[in-house]
Amino acid sequence: MSLANASTAKPRYMHAAEDLRANSEQWSVYESGGNCVVLAGPGSGKTKTLTIKMARMLAEDVRPPRGIACITYNNQCARELRKRLSQLGAYEGRRAFIGTLHSFCLQSIVMPYAPLAGLSAANPVKVASTTEIKELQEKALKKLTDDERWGPRFDNYRRTHLNRTHPSWKHGDEQAAKVIETYEALLAEEGLIDFDSMVLTGLQLVREHAWVRKALKARFPILVIDEYQDLGRALHEIVTHLCFPEGMQLLAVGDPDQSIYGFTGAEPSLLRELAQRPDVAKIELKLNYRCGSEIIHASEAALGEERDFESASDEPGEISFHERPDGLDDQAKFICTELIPKALARRKGRKIGDIAVLYLDKNDGDAMAAAAATARFQFIRVDGNNPYQPSPVTYWLEDCAAWCVGGWRTGAVSLSDLVRRWLAFNSSPQSDHQRRNMRVALVRFLRDNRVPEAPLRDWLGKMLDGFLQTCLDRETGLRDDAEKVAKLLNAVSVDGALQRYTVAIFGGQKGSPDQLNLSTLHSAKGLEYDIVILPGLEEGRIPYYNDDDRAIREKRRLFYVGLTRARHEVHLLYSGWYENQYGRRFKDGPSRFVEDVQRRLGGGASGPSDKNLPGSPAHLKRDGAVQQVKITHK
């Protein structure tokens, strides 16, 4: 074989790895052996480095049939990792698990080992749907208290107090412990397991049984954790038991500065603690390939701490401040009638899909969606008021639609990956003949329904009638997915909120160039856009008026995450006042985080000024009675 042929015959991951050589820290991750923690700042190429490293380990470090388990925060993160790994020639299958902590505990620990350990686990396991979880929690609460504001207290206590035999279980909050015990007894009566129970049972098995730890190491000698800072104390204890001492090899990636899920039990200090272990190598990724230097400076001001991040971009980026004194609806109208059209005109080839409006909650999302609809923008909405909610099956359906509207031609969506995921949903025992028929049914449906402008309700109805509904009815592990698919079907019905959805629109839900991105700040983590617009930045809302010091630090990190989604421009909007749910108005000015950014960039500490400040490069522009301050350092 010639040298040229030998070069082209290299696996895809080896060709991709050449891109890491120019960054010494990324290359160190790629070549690392043993336990390693990667502290990866925003835009530092974390996912690219992680997936290339995983592909190398699967090919070089782990002999079949052994494999690698990769745990990440949510199904969207798992979806992105699968996509990137498949592009490198590494596919999820028998040798690679890629999914959430809940699914790892259920599939790899609870289902195979709970019966052997004598723990009560229904066979087959019945996963509680979102509706069932809510109903049983309400039933438990009514037995013990009339307080309806229990959600965060219930979830946080359950996820941070993990050992029910320890005295701290009841001493920390005796009433919370009683409510949780009552709820879990109701789950058991119904023969159900919920998402937190999957993790708690998995932790119990790993903590109490050495043979479980040995079995897991035999199957997965390497454990990869993505977004470690968001996964909480239960994961940290599982990792401690599985990896130290002399257990699974660990590769953990994350950023404490981007820990924004404290309400689910996330503790950024756990990643820092892990990185300080003497038996773990720590590597920091500090070069930011996404943001301009001024956006990085602004984000450090938002975070309230200095970082040594450097920008790889030739453009410094822009931060603009917009005071809209008539409230959130006026902000939304201004965004859609002025900011977005001007942004599209500023750069040739820019699409509306390059723009994201990131906001605090679903109520803000209602205002943004209404303004976008009035402006006749197509948009993708990701918040609690979205007519349908994501799940592994709805994500798979989106990818199936994307294949039908052109992914089959461009290779953007892999048919073999769709088939693998479909067969994985069908986890109950099936004969080879039955699984072959399942495969044929899916491929035939996708081949025959490549009609981009077809109504989504017709396309989805055909799939449900053909084979999907049978799977949802049979598989007890998909009961929550079945509920979410039913809501999707209702949303796209003739009278539904998404009645005009076509297969093409649905297939663009993972990011279309022709659809404006509307998302909560929490849901936008891990994504990137040319332009990020942040409305509703009022003191008393971010941070919340009664936040304690810990909560304020987390809100700073949330604002920081929003700023660092942008490549070129960030627009910050505020009115200086807001109304609560009872119509009471609070006039506390713009968020302190906005003022911190203004101070850093030279715009003053008390909001936009009506004149250029001494020594400031600020450019002020009048727009009627509203000031816009654009601060651009070059």
Side-chain angles (χ1 to χ4, degrees):
M1 180 183 292
S2 69
L3 289 177
N5 288 337
S7 175
T8 57
K10 288 194 305 185
R12 275 178 271 175
Y13 76 87
M14 287 188 175
H15 290 285
E18 293 303 313
D19 292 339
L20 305 180
R21 286 185 182 273
N23 184 314
S24 60
E25 288 79 21
Q26 289 182 345
W27 188 251
S28 294
V29 175
Y30 179 73
E31 290 199 310
S32 65
N35 299 318
C36 180
V37 169
V38 182
L39 301 180
S44 60
K46 176 263 293 182
T47 304
K48 175 182 177 180
T49 306
L50 173 63
T51 50
I52 295 174
K53 168 74 169 177
M54 271 191 67
R56 184 192 72 74
M57 291 191 298
L58 273 170
E60 301 177 15
D61 298 347
V62 181
R63 291 185 178 182
R66 307 175 84 194
I68 293 175
C70 177
I71 297 171
T72 192
Y73 180 71
N74 58 28
N75 288 305
Q76 177 61 29
C77 295
R79 182 191 198 187
E80 180 64 21
L81 289 175
R82 289 190 194 101
K83 175 185 173 184
R84 296 209 189 190
L85 280 168
S86 67
Q87 292 169 347
L88 296 169
Y91 301 99
E92 183 184 26
R94 291 183 178 275
R95 295 192 61 219
F97 169 89
I98 304 170
T100 63
L101 177 61
H102 306 107
S103 58
F104 174 74
C105 287
L106 179 64
Q107 297 174 28
S108 300
I109 306 178
V110 176
M111 291 176 67
Y113 303 129
L116 298 176
L119 296 184
S120 57
N123 190 14
V125 173
K126 292 173 61 179
V127 177
S129 69
T130 302
T131 299
E132 289 170 327
I133 290 170
K134 183 178 179 181
E135 290 174 350
L136 293 178
Q137 286 181 347
E138 290 176 350
K139 188 174 180 180
L141 286 169
K142 287 179 181 178
K143 286 188 174 185
L144 296 167
T145 177
D146 294 327
D147 188 350
E148 297 179 353
R149 298 167 296 175
W150 259 75
R153 180 179 171 189
F154 180 100
D155 292 339
N156 193 273
Y157 196 81
R158 194 173 179 215
R159 293 166 183 168
T160 54
H161 291 73
L162 306 177
N163 189 344
R164 304 300 171 79
T165 63
H166 195 275
S168 64
W169 166 244
K170 289 190 176 179
H171 293 167
D173 187 336
E174 187 172 355
Q175 189 179 30
K178 287 181 178 178
V179 172
I180 292 167
E181 288 172 354
T182 302
Y183 163 71
E184 291 177 347
L186 292 171
L187 272 178
E189 287 176 11
E190 299 293 332
L192 298 173
I193 185 170
D194 72 353
F195 298 107
D196 285 339
S197 296
M198 298 174 192
V199 177
L200 292 170
T201 305
L203 172 58
Q204 181 182 353
L205 287 164
V206 166
R207 181 173 56 211
E208 296 179 359
H209 301 285
W211 60 268
V212 172
R213 298 192 292 272
K214 290 179 180 178
L216 286 168
K217 181 183 177 182
R219 183 180 177 189
F220 299 120
I222 297 177
L223 178 63
V224 177
I225 314 287
D226 186 29
E227 303 290 359
Y228 194 99
Q229 75 283 347
D230 291 328
L231 286 160
R233 184 162 293 278
L235 169 87
H236 188 67
E237 290 199 21
I238 289 173
V239 167
T240 300
H241 287 294
L242 288 179
C243 299
F244 309 107
E246 302 298 329
M248 293 181 179
Q249 178 182 323
L250 175 67
L251 174 63
V253 183
D255 180 7
D257 291 337
Q258 296 185 70
S259 180
I260 58 174
Y261 298 106
F263 58 92
T264 67
E267 299 180 47
S269 60
L270 297 176
L271 179 56
R272 296 190 183 97
E273 177 184 316
L274 185 68
Q276 296 304 316
R277 289 183 64 105
D279 48 358
V280 169
K282 180 178 76 171
I283 300 173
E284 298 183 74
L285 303 183
K286 289 184 171 291
L287 186 61
N288 187 319
Y289 293 92
R290 179 191 304 148
C291 306
S293 57
E294 290 308 298
I295 296 176
I296 292 175
H297 293 328
S299 69
E300 289 179 336
L303 190 62
E305 297 181 34
E306 297 296 325
R307 296 290 183 263
D308 298 327
F309 296 132
E310 298 179 9
S311 175
S313 174
D314 294 331
E315 298 184 37
E318 296 181 354
I319 310 290
S320 296
F321 301 80
H322 309 273
E323 181 180 12
R324 304 297 301 185
D326 292 334
L328 186 65
D329 289 338
D330 180 53
Q331 293 178 37
K333 180 180 178 182
F334 176 70
I335 288 168
C336 293
T337 59
E338 296 195 43
L339 278 186
I340 292 175
K342 290 178 180 178
L344 292 173
R346 267 195 296 276
R347 187 178 291 252
K348 185 177 180 180
R350 179 174 282 161
K351 301 285 189 180
I352 197 168
D354 297 321
I355 302 172
V357 183
L358 309 181
Y359 42 83
L360 281 176
D361 56 35
K362 60 186 180 182
N363 299 317
D364 289 2
D366 288 342
M368 300 305 142
T374 300
R376 297 186 179 278
F377 293 146
Q378 289 189 18
F379 58 86
I380 300 168
R381 182 175 178 183
V382 184
D383 62 44
N385 278 354
N386 197 32
Y388 77 95
Q389 298 301 313
S391 77
V393 172
T394 61
Y395 279 138
W396 175 76
L397 287 170
E398 290 173 5
D399 290 341
C400 286
W403 189 91
C404 287
V405 300
W408 64 273
R409 183 187 298 112
T410 65
V413 181
S414 165
L415 178 61
S416 58
D417 179 60
L418 294 177
V419 171
R420 270 190 297 271
R421 288 158 65 188
W422 165 238
L423 294 177
F425 291 141
N426 292 272
S427 59
S428 60
Q430 308 287 335
S431 68
D432 290 343
H433 177 70
Q434 289 173 316
R435 295 184 73 78
R436 183 166 57 252
N437 287 343
M438 291 174 186
R439 187 184 302 110
V440 169
L442 173 62
V443 173
R444 183 173 292 158
F445 172 85
L446 296 176
R447 182 197 64 195
D448 295 343
N449 290 275
R450 291 175 289 178
V451 188
E453 298 310 313
L456 179 59
R457 58 181 166 272
D458 295 344
W459 183 90
L460 185 58
K462 288 180 182 178
M463 183 185 282
L464 284 164
D465 291 342
F467 52 89
L468 179 57
Q469 191 64 57
T470 300
C471 169
L472 295 175
D473 291 341
R474 181 185 62 240
E475 300 296 335
T476 58
L478 296 180
R479 297 171 76 252
D480 189 60
D481 291 85
E483 185 174 282
K484 289 180 167 60
V485 171
K487 289 182 178 179
L488 170 61
L489 188 62
N490 183 63
V492 300
S493 66
V494 175
D495 299 321
L498 304 179
Q499 58 182 277
R500 297 184 179 180
Y501 258 41
T502 63
V503 179
I505 293 173
F506 186 62
Q509 291 303 292
K510 63 179 181 179
S512 166
D514 301 317
Q515 294 173 309
L516 176 66
N517 299 282
L518 303 181
S519 172
T520 60
L521 284 159
H522 284 96
S523 297
K525 194 159 78 71
L527 304 177
E528 60 183 17
Y529 310 93
D530 271 13
I531 296 172
V532 165
I533 301 170
L534 304 176
L537 300 177
E538 320 298 345
E539 183 69 15
R541 297 193 73 230
I542 182 167
Y544 190 53
Y545 74 93
N546 66 350
D547 277 343
D548 58 20
D549 288 345
R550 181 174 179 175
I552 289 172
R553 288 194 296 273
E554 179 157 312
K555 295 295 172 52
R556 280 195 177 278
R557 295 194 295 268
L558 184 64
F559 185 48
Y560 170 81
V561 164
L563 285 173
T564 55
R565 300 309 95 197
R567 286 185 284 261
H568 303 137
E569 300 177 25
V570 175
H571 296 269
L572 308 178
L573 287 86
Y574 58 90
S575 299
W577 61 269
Y578 68 97
E579 288 184 352
N580 66 10
Q581 59 183 324
Y582 306 108
R584 183 181 175 188
R585 183 169 293 192
F586 298 86
K587 301 179 180 180
D588 296 319
S591 167
R592 69 188 73 177
F593 305 154
V594 173
E595 294 181 339
D596 289 342
V597 172
Q598 289 177 313
R599 216 177 346 254
R600 167 65 68 89
L601 299 182
S606 57
S609 170
D610 59 0
K611 61 183 180 180
N612 284 333
L613 299 174
S616 167
H619 170 68
L620 282 78
K621 180 169 63 177
R622 280 277 180 189
D623 177 23
V626 179
Q627 290 185 36
Q628 173 183 334
V629 181
K630 178 178 286 187
I631 298 179
T632 308
H633 288 211
K634 294 186 178 180

